[in-house]
Amino acid sequence: MKLEQKTTVRLYEGDCIKGMMEHIPDSSIDIIVTSPPYNLGIKYNSYDDQKDWQEYLDWTIEWATQASRKLKDDGSLFLNIGGSLKAPLLPHVVLNLLADEHKLFHLQNSIHWIKSIALPDKKDGPERQRGHYKPINSDRFVNDCHEHIFHLTKGGDTKLDRKAIGVPYADKSNIGRWGHTGGDDLKCRGNVWFIPYKTINRRADDRPHPATFPDALVEHCIKLHGKNGSSVVMDPFLGIGHAAYAAISCGVKEFIGFEIDPVYMSAVRDELTERGNRYICGAVSPT
Ligand SMILES: C[S@@+](CC[C@H](N)C(=O)[O-])C[C@H]1O[C@@H](n2cnc3c(N)ncnc32)[C@H](O)[C@@H]1O
């Protein structure tokens, strides 16, 4: 049986900077989960991901300034960003720009999204690689199996619901031993999240976009921020919509997504329709 959709979904095709200025009231957003383009030359359908470096950094400040304006004082921006062999410092340069030079946000938590990891199947068993990554053929570099999720807030003191993504204790005797458990069999997950991509057979059909994050990553962020039934969630760089699907599955009050590419936005509308979800479309005035 399909549950009734609690989330109002608003989709805007167009530039998110303009769109946020035109459509989003200041201090109205609880949670932003987003992954902007990284300027690494990714082949998007239409967006040029190889801008002049300074132009890219200036643009980063522009969208982040709007994001900061739209976020409530106790809101959370979860910024997913990864580096590459060509630009290994990129995540740190962007973080420094936003949190230090421009003082738009505090770095409240630094989370590592692990896409793939070698672990034993069972205690003392042989290790096996889990999850997926893009292999690097090199005698200098190891494969890059993680990206950053910077949890950015305005004051550095946003209250979180750590147990909403808590994990059960391996040794149950700890539940009674430590007062801080409150008797719950859940402890804080920490800042290393193993969230593999789903295995796909055909990229063109199953994941028609070159740089996505999994729904589960967004769900972790939304749940960790907490107060989900009353939350307004936004993704200014929606791609093919994973933040929207996660927001709906978390039952947030409202989700707002911007995407500049009509092909990707059309894929989001098709997928929502296929899932039986309702949405409202708005327009951003042309640049
Ligand atoms: C890293 S992808 C996001 C993918 C998304 N997280 C997903 O899982 O599908 C970045 C997206 O930003 C879009 N984009 C680039 N510039 C934009 C802008 N000014 N406004 C809105 N979207 C933009 C690109 O077309 C691309 O789809």
Side-chain angles (χ1 to χ4, degrees), residues 38-135:
Y38 304 165
N39 210 36
L40 298 177
I42 301 275
K43 300 233 170 320
Y44 291 106
N45 185 53
S46 58
Y47 174 79
D48 169 17
D49 194 41
Q50 235 162 351
K51 297 199 165 36
D52 166 75
W53 182 233
Q54 192 54 51
E55 188 191 337
Y56 174 74
L57 294 180
D58 291 346
W59 172 80
T60 297
I61 289 300
E62 256 190 88
W63 74 254
T65 299
Q66 286 310 318
S68 165
R69 237 171 239 163
K70 305 307 168 186
L71 203 62
K72 290 182 182 171
D73 285 348
D74 63 350
S76 290
L77 163 59
F78 293 92
L79 174 62
N80 166 224
I81 190 157
S84 78
L85 296 181
K86 274 192 280 177
L89 291 178
L90 170 80
H92 311 284
V93 171
V94 167
L95 178 63
N96 187 56
L97 200 65
L98 303 189
D100 196 27
E101 278 183 44
H102 287 259
K103 309 242 178 297
L104 289 172
F105 299 101
H106 288 259
L107 177 63
Q108 188 167 323
N109 287 284
S110 185
I111 296 160
H112 296 270
W113 166 28
I114 309 299
K115 302 174 183 182
S116 175
I117 190 165
L119 281 177
D121 272 333
K122 51 181 192 282
K123 197 166 177 287
D124 302 328
E127 281 186 321
R128 136 180 119 75
Q129 193 80 23
R130 291 153 201 235
H132 304 280
Y133 57 86
K134 216 180 266 169

Side-chain angles (χ1 to χ4, degrees), residues 61-220:
I61 289 300
E62 256 190 88
W63 74 254
T65 299
Q66 286 310 318
S68 165
R69 237 171 239 163
K70 305 307 168 186
L71 203 62
K72 290 182 182 171
D73 285 348
D74 63 350
S76 290
L77 163 59
F78 293 92
L79 174 62
N80 166 224
I81 190 157
S84 78
L85 296 181
K86 274 192 280 177
L89 291 178
L90 170 80
H92 311 284
V93 171
V94 167
L95 178 63
N96 187 56
L97 200 65
L98 303 189
D100 196 27
E101 278 183 44
H102 287 259
K103 309 242 178 297
L104 289 172
F105 299 101
H106 288 259
L107 177 63
Q108 188 167 323
N109 287 284
S110 185
I111 296 160
H112 296 270
W113 166 28
I114 309 299
K115 302 174 183 182
S116 175
I117 190 165
L119 281 177
D121 272 333
K122 51 181 192 282
K123 197 166 177 287
D124 302 328
E127 281 186 321
R128 136 180 119 75
Q129 193 80 23
R130 291 153 201 235
H132 304 280
Y133 57 86
K134 216 180 266 169
I136 297 169
N137 192 3
S138 167
D139 58 5
R140 283 193 296 154
F141 300 111
V142 294
N143 288 321
D144 192 3
C145 301
H146 87 124
E147 293 195 16
H148 297 270
I149 309 291
F150 296 131
H151 174 226
L152 301 167
T153 59
K154 291 202 180 171
D157 55 0
T158 293
K159 297 257 187 307
L160 299 175
D161 185 357
R162 304 187 335 165
K163 287 192 180 173
I165 54 164
V167 286
Y169 282 88
D171 176 353
K172 305 296 182 199
S173 69
N174 282 319
I175 303 167
R177 187 172 310 130
W178 307 111
H180 68 259
T181 67
D184 286 346
D185 183 13
L186 279 179
K187 65 175 182 173
C188 173
R189 169 178 299 270
N191 66 349
V192 179
W193 298 354
F194 173 48
I195 304 180
Y197 281 110
K198 282 200 183 122
T199 305
I200 53 172
N201 297 318
R202 285 189 313 185
R203 173 173 274 282
D205 295 336
D206 296 341
R207 204 185 291 138
H209 189 288
T212 59
F213 48 38
D215 295 10
L217 183 79
V218 185
E219 285 166 9
H220 272 46

Side-chain angles (χ1 to χ4, degrees), residues 14-16 35-37 44 47 59 209 211-213 235-242 258-261 264:
D15 173 40
C16 66
S35 179
Y44 291 106
Y47 174 79
W59 172 80
H209 189 288
T212 59
F213 48 38
D235 183 353
F237 302 100
L238 185 59
I240 54 170
H242 292 96
F258 295 92
E259 170 56 51
I260 207 163
D261 188 298
Y264 296 152

